[in-house]
Amino acid sequence: MSTTQLRRGEPVTTVLTWQVRPGREQEFEEWTHGITRCARRFPGNEGVSWLRPEEGHRFHAVLRWSDPDRLTQWLRSAERADWHRRIDGVATEVGSERQSTSGMETWFSLPGTTVQSPPRWKMVLTTFLGAYPLTVLIQWLVAPRTTTWPLLLRAAVFPLVLLPVLTYLIMPRLSRLLRRWLYRPPDE
């Protein structure tokens, strides 16, 4: 899905793939710290994560933006172009693998890469492992304080707390922690 196909005002996640020259990995990793700091200061940025390969030389940057327009501004910015000039000869962005998505599919898939999404039963179990403790916490701490509220307002509290915490805090960490189990090749 291209950034122009995404709806305005919706958060967007983009995965950028980098092919790093053998022996230049350390230099590339130092560069990732600088461009990440620069991107985080850019309007609309909601976070940058780097996925480093266990083998090979393809690195993936997962960028989260408040909306597609701000993502496009970053991708076309002079700041980003300057950082790209600094990495000439060290790594090349694999533009054909760039893809943007919106929604919760980014919890489990890396768009534009060859990594397959885990089986649905693993996604369900992982989501349960993330959601259940948070659900208990909400029921224990929040629900007793809202018993006198109107039903529609009480019902809104649960997703308003649960979904952002799952999306931004729990699921990225949980899917990273369980990545070997989630993305295990089928022949293992």
Side-chain angles (χ1 to χ4, degrees), residues 102-121:
S102 61
M104 291 192 281
E105 72 272 11
T106 57
W107 281 357
F108 295 104
S109 64
L110 296 176
T113 68
T114 57
V115 176
Q116 296 293 316
S117 294
R120 288 179 188 243
W121 69 270

Side-chain angles (χ1 to χ4, degrees), residues 78 81 109 179 182:
S109 64
R179 73 179 178 270
L182 285 167

Side-chain angles (χ1 to χ4, degrees), residues 2 6 11 17 34 54 68 73 98 105 109 128-129 133 145 159 163 166-167 171 173 179 184 186:
S2 72
L6 297 171
T17 301
E54 291 183 27
Q73 290 170 9
R98 181 188 298 174
E105 72 272 11
S109 64
F128 177 80
L129 289 173
R145 291 169 175 75
L163 296 176
L166 276 177
T167 300
M171 292 308 293
R173 287 174 175 85
R179 73 179 178 270
R184 180 176 296 162

